């Protein structure tokens, strides 16, 4: 079973993504900000990250950039789900590799489709 | 400025006296010249001090206005989380998050419906089995009835009674299960309808949410765009105030040179007094050699002092004029800032409409919650139907067993009841099969209901989180509404206040400039004294002054020379003030710029080796200048 790390500061968004992904047959772990997400990355195997960009206490952009700098995580795919997708344009092209960017509110179908596209399932 | 009026009279007197003595053999009168120079020194001291104080006062006011401009710039800063616009963006993000998360309600409700459907469909799948059992019971009943015809009449009743019991129970089971399965089929239909309705609602809410989000995003961007010119203007005003602070400091720096000139003039006055002593008396010839040398020394000093004060005055005047120009430009920006704020925010209902839009957006979540509540009620009703169904099915198991037992009891009462016995056994086997199937179905129904309970609990947890976040958001709406109202009001008020306070400030600076007539005063004050020295030297030449002077005279001139060597002090003075200006310049790059207090700048260092001034007489003297000679100086603050 593939593991997906959900990174979002909004508890109900975490809950929703968890509900959706578990229903679709994925195992999920959650983190409320970039710092905590990085701790999870180092403590267990994660196949995909579902990431919000704007979060207090270590935002998604910094987390993604940091992830890409670490060889063991450089290719971990990410579904970016953010309020303002134009902000994702501020991400380096290299950081955006292996990424699908969705704007909130994203439909369950789009979220699952993004995950499946990146995980090849 | 009354300098000019105060100075003209002594110099007019001096000019008249000089004219009277021009043709005589004695040197021109110099006591009045010394007095006039001292008057100039004192008057210019007072005037420059007043100017410096005026500038310092204006600087204070500029500083207050600059702080106000900084506040406006801060108010409209979109990146500062504590400010209204940023808080509005943050609230917008939270509302979008909430709407995004509310899709989970639909997912959850769908999950409940799916669970219940699974149970119902599983139950329906058993219907065929139950129908088959019913048919088998009917078959056994017909067999018993057929067998009864072969028996003696007195035994037939036993068979017929068993057959009648079987028919009764079959019929009861049939009608009951039929009704139960029909009810199940009906609720399956209901869940399908509800699922479709939920899907449609989810789609509609999602579309509506996207539209509302676009509207809010646009409104926020418009507000940001509206505030941006205010912010840019406020920053520009801020920058201009910082620049004018530096400009003022440069002017004040130049004002300090007057202090040195004043001291030099005091020394020149003393030199004049010395000349006066050597100009002779009715019984004594003037010491022409000394007078010539002394006059040249004083003339050089006066020329140098005039050049210094002229340069300082030019800097002061130029600086003030530049300050006025800068103020005029700043007031134009302030006016634009006020106008922009007034036009953009004057009739705006930004706060009201923003909070209304966010409320509308969150109403989508409320509608999702309502839909979920409806689903929850439906699920509860279906759950009850399933429980009743399970109880009924379980009840039939007992009925079939009773019939089988009755058949076997009846067979036992007959002398030859092989057939009935066999049929009773068949009924019993059928009863067991029926019981097993009933158990399976009930177990499956209970497991389904447990699964449903789990989904329901999960949904309730999710709704609790969502409700808590919704509550937080609703409180946030009020807070942001207040902040936006406050922002609009304050930007308008603060810009108006800056304009109202800055206008008189500009006029005060203009008034200062209009009151200045330095070049004229300097010319009027210095030129006659310089001319007087030149006249004395010329007269000494004509009188055949000796090339060398007495030892006493030379010592006296050396004493003056010591006092005149103020170039070192001047340089120190300039360096100290330049450092002060540089410090202000560095600070000016930040938002809150403080004009370095001039009083903190050490204008003169401790007594040091003076550098000899260019002089017609090179009279080296290593002794330091006395600090007491510098006088009171300009009191800036």
């Amino acid at each position: 079973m593939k593991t997906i790390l959900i990174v979002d500061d909004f508890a109900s968004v975490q809950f929703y993504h968890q509900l959706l992904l578990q229903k679709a047959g994925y195992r999920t772990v959650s983190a409320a900000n970039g710092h905590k997400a990085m701790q999870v990355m180092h403590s267990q195997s994660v196949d995909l990250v579902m990431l919000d960009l704007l979060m207090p206490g270590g935002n998604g952009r910094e987390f993604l950039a940091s992830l890409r700098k670490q060889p063991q995580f450089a290719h971990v795919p990410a579904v970016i789900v953010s309020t303002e997708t134009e902000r994702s344009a501020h991400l380096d092209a290299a950081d955006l590799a292996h990424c699908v960017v969705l704007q909130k509110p994203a439909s369950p179908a789009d979220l699952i489709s993004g995950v499946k596209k990146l995980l090849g399932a | 400025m009354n300098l000019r009026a105060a100075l003209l009279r002594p110099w007019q007197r001096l000019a008249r006296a000089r004219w009277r003595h021009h043709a005589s053999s004695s040197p021109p009168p110099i006591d009045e010249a010394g007095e006039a120079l001292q008057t100039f020194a004192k008057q210019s001291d007072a005037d420059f001090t007043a100017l410096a104080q005026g500038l310092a006062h204006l600087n204070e006011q500029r500083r207050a206005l600059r702080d106000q401009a900084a506040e406006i710039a801060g108010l409209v800063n979109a990146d500062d989380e504590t400010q209204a616009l940023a808080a509005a963006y943050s609230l917008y993000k939270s509302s979008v998050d909430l709407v995004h998360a509310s899709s989970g309600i639909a997912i959850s409700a769908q999950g409940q419906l799916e669970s219940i459907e699974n149970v119902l469909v599983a139950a329906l799948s058993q219907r065929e089995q139950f129908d088959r059992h019913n048919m088998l019971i009917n078959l056994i009943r017909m067999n018993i009835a057929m067998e009864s015809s072969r028996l003696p009449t007195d035994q037939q009743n036993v068979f017929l009674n068993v057959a009648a019991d079987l028919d009764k129970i079959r019929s009861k089971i049939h009608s009951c299960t039929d009704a139960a399965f029909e009810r199940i089929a009906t609720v399956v239909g209901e869940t399908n309808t509800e699922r479709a309705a939920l899907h449609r609602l989810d789609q509609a809410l999602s579309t509506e949410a996207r539209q509302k989000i676009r509207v809010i995003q646009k409104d926020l961007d418009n507000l940001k765009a509206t505030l941006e010119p205010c912010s840019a203007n406020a920053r520009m005003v801020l920058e201009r105030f910082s620049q004018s602070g530096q400009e003022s400091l440069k002017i004040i720096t130049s004002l300090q040179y007057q202090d040195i000139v004043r001291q030099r003039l005091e020394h020149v006055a003393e030199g004049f007094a010395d000349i006066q002593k050597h100009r002779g008396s009715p019984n004594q010839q003037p010491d022409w050699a000394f007078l010539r040398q002394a006059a040249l020394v004083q003339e050089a000093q006066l020329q140098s002092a005039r050049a210094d004060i002229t340069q300082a005055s030019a800097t002061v005047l130029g600086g003030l004029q530049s300050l006025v120009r800068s103020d005029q430009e700043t007031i134009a920006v302030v006016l634009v800032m006020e106008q922009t704020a007034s036009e953009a925010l004057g009739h705006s209902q930004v706060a009201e409409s923003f909070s209304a839009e966010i409320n509308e957006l969150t109403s989508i979540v409320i509608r999702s919650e309502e839909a979920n509540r409806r689903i929850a009620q439906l699920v509860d009703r279906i759950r009850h139907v399933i429980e009743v169904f399970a109880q009924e099915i379980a009840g039939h198991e007992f009925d079939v067993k009773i019939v089988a037992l009755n058949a076997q009891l009846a067979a036992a009462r007959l002398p030859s009841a092989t057939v009935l016995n066999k049929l009773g056994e068949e009924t019993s086997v059928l009863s067991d099969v029926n019981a097993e199937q009933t158990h399976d179905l009930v177990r499956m129904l209970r497991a389904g209901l447990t699964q449903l309970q789990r989904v329901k609990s999960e949904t309730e947890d999710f709704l609790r989180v969502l409700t808590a976040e919704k509550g937080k958001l609703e409180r946030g709406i009020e807070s942001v509404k207040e902040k936006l109202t406050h922002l609009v009001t304050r930007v308008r008020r603060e810009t108006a206040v800056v304009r109202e306070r800055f206008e008189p400030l500009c006029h005060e600076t203009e008034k200062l400039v209009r009151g200045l007539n330095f070049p004229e005063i300097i010319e009027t004050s210095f030129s006659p004294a310089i001319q007087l020295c030149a006249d004395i030297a010329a007269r000494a030449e004509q009188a055949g002054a000796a090339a060398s002077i007495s030892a006493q005279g030379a010592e006296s001139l050396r004493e003056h020379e010591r006092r005149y060597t103020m170039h070192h002090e001047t340089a120190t003075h300039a360096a100290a003030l330049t450092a002060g200006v540089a410090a202000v310049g560095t600070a000016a790059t930040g938002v809150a710029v403080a004009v370095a207090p001039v009083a903190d700048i050490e204008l003169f260092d401790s007594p040091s080796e003076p550098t000899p001034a260019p002089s017609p007489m090179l009279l080296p003297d290593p002794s330091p200048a006395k600090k007491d000679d510098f006088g009171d100086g300009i009191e800036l603050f």
Side-chain angles (χ1 to χ4, degrees), chain B residues 565-623:
Chain B
T565 52
M566 297 189 69
H567 294 282
H568 177 72
E569 285 77 2
T570 305
T572 308
H573 181 187
L577 285 167
T578 306
V581 172
V584 172
T586 310
T589 54
V591 171
V593 181
V595 174
V598 176
D600 290 347
I601 300 169
E602 191 59 48
L603 296 181
F604 302 105
D605 59 5
S606 52
S608 56
E609 296 295 319
T611 308
S615 164
M617 288 184 67
L618 295 173
L619 301 169
D621 189 330
S623 62

Side-chain angles (χ1 to χ4, degrees), chain A residues 8-13 15-17 19-20 22-23 52 54 81 83-84 86 103-108 110-111, chain B residues 89 92-94 96-101 103-104 107-108 111 114 209-210 213 217 458 461-462 465-466 469:
Chain A
D8 203 299
D9 59 319
F10 223 66
S12 54
V13 172
F15 219 126
Y16 161 47
H17 289 173
L19 204 69
L20 183 70
Q22 284 177 359
K23 195 164 171 265
D52 185 16
L54 301 168
V81 195
T83 313
E84 294 163 275
E86 67 267 27
Q103 186 170 13
K104 282 180 185 172
S107 72
D110 286 345
L111 288 168
Chain B
Y89 269 106
Y92 159 73
K93 180 200 177 290
S94 296
V96 174
D97 272 340
L98 196 72
V99 169
H100 175 72
S103 297
I107 299 277
S108 180
E114 270 175 33
R210 281 170 204 277
I213 285 167
Q217 171 86 57
E458 203 174 59
D461 287 345
F462 178 48
V465 173
L466 202 72
E469 283 177 341

Side-chain angles (χ1 to χ4, degrees), chain A residues 52-69:
Chain A
D52 185 16
L53 286 181
L54 301 168
M55 290 176 292
N59 69 40
R61 190 177 297 109
E62 288 161 0
F63 168 73
L64 192 64
S66 167
L67 208 64
R68 294 294 180 243
K69 281 181 193 150

